[in-house]
Amino acid sequence: MEFSVMNILAVTASALMVIVTVGIAYLTAMEWRDRRRQEREKRQQR
C-alpha cells in the first residue's frame, strides 16, 4: 500500500512539473512574440 501511494505522489509531482514547465515556455513565447510585435509597430510609426 505504501509503495503505491509513493508511486502516485511521484507521478503527480512529475505531471505538475511538466505542466509548470509547459506554462513557463508558453508565457516566454508569448512575451517574445509581443515584444517583436511592439518593436515592429515602433518601427512603422517612425
Side-chain angles (χ1 to χ4, degrees):
M1 173 97 176
E2 195 173 323
F3 185 67
S4 63
V5 171
M6 292 303 286
N7 280 342
I8 291 171
L9 289 175
V11 169
T12 303
S14 298
L16 287 173
M17 284 192 331
V18 168
I19 291 169
V20 169
T21 302
V22 169
I24 290 172
Y26 172 78
L27 290 174
T28 302
M30 292 301 105
E31 182 184 4
W32 174 76
R33 189 187 68 178
D34 288 344
R35 196 177 317 125
R36 274 186 56 200
R37 184 179 47 87
Q38 287 175 352
E39 289 173 0
R40 199 176 320 131
E41 288 174 358
K42 258 188 201 175
R43 276 188 256 129
Q44 288 176 354
Q45 288 177 356
R46 291 183 194 178

